[in-house]
């Protein structure tokens, strides 16, 4: 009986290994199919890229043959002009203030000078009057 059991067990293991092998074989075939489809897509993309490269080459040739303006910096737009009237008003105001500032001491100095001159005139007239009355002449 042990022989039967051993043969049966070997048969089950062989069946199991065969079934696992078949599953692996099917999986490998599916994987090979996916690889083949990816290779086909890759070759189609390569052909498409070659076609695009040819088109780009032709366009580059046409572009380089066509006359083009020389490369230069873009023109800078002119800035709008600043109005001049604020500067003119400022210059007039500063000139007026300087005139008034320089005029102030002259006006005050003239008043003092005329007052001083009046005092000196009165002093001279008083000294001359005193001399006329017989006072000794002053030394100043």
């Amino acid at each position: 009986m042990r022989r039967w059991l051993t043969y049966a067990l070997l048969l089950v293991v062989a069946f199991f290994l065969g079934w696992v092998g078949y599953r692996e074989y099917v999986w490998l075939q599916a994987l090979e199919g996916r690889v083949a489809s990816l290779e086909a897509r890759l070759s189609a993309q390569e052909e498409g890229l070659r076609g695009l490269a040819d088109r780009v080459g032709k366009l580059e040739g046409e572009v380089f043959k066509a006359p083009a303006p020389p490369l230069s910096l873009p023109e800078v737009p002119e800035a709008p002009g600043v109005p001049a009237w604020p500067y003119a008003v400022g210059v007039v105001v500063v000139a007026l203030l300087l005139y008034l500032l320089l005029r102030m001491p002259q006006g005050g100095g003239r008043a003092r000078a005329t007052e001083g001159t009046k005092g000196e005139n009165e002093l001279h007239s008083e000294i001359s009057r005193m001399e006329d009355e017989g006072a000794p002449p002053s030394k100043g």
Side-chain angles (χ1 to χ4, degrees), residues 5 53 131:
L5 191 58
E131 288 176 354

Side-chain angles (χ1 to χ4, degrees), residues 88-140:
V89 170
V91 167
V92 169
V93 168
V94 167
L96 182 64
L97 288 176
L98 281 174
Y99 174 76
L100 292 176
L101 183 69
L102 293 175
R103 188 84 172 140
M104 266 184 10
Q106 290 177 357
R110 282 187 185 166
R112 287 186 197 133
T114 53
E115 288 176 8
T117 309
K118 275 186 179 176
E120 288 177 12
N121 286 342
E122 288 176 6
L123 182 62
H124 285 296
S125 64
E126 191 174 325
I127 291 174
S128 63
R129 186 180 55 84
M130 288 172 47
E131 288 176 354
D132 288 340
E133 290 177 359
S138 65
K139 294 184 179 180

Side-chain angles (χ1 to χ4, degrees), residues 10 62 138:
L10 283 175
E62 290 177 14
S138 65

Side-chain angles (χ1 to χ4, degrees), residues 32-127:
E32 285 178 355
R34 287 179 57 192
V35 168
S37 70
L38 287 174
E39 286 176 350
R41 283 177 49 190
L42 182 64
S43 65
Q45 287 177 354
E46 284 177 357
E47 289 299 320
L49 285 176
R50 284 188 191 131
L52 286 175
D54 291 340
R55 285 184 184 176
V56 168
K58 289 177 184 176
L59 286 175
E60 283 179 348
E62 290 177 14
V63 166
F64 288 125
K65 287 179 186 176
L71 295 176
S72 63
L73 295 175
E75 298 209 13
V76 179
E78 290 187 27
V82 179
W85 67 267
Y87 298 109
V89 170
V91 167
V92 169
V93 168
V94 167
L96 182 64
L97 288 176
L98 281 174
Y99 174 76
L100 292 176
L101 183 69
L102 293 175
R103 188 84 172 140
M104 266 184 10
Q106 290 177 357
R110 282 187 185 166
R112 287 186 197 133
T114 53
E115 288 176 8
T117 309
K118 275 186 179 176
E120 288 177 12
N121 286 342
E122 288 176 6
L123 182 62
H124 285 296
S125 64
E126 191 174 325
I127 291 174

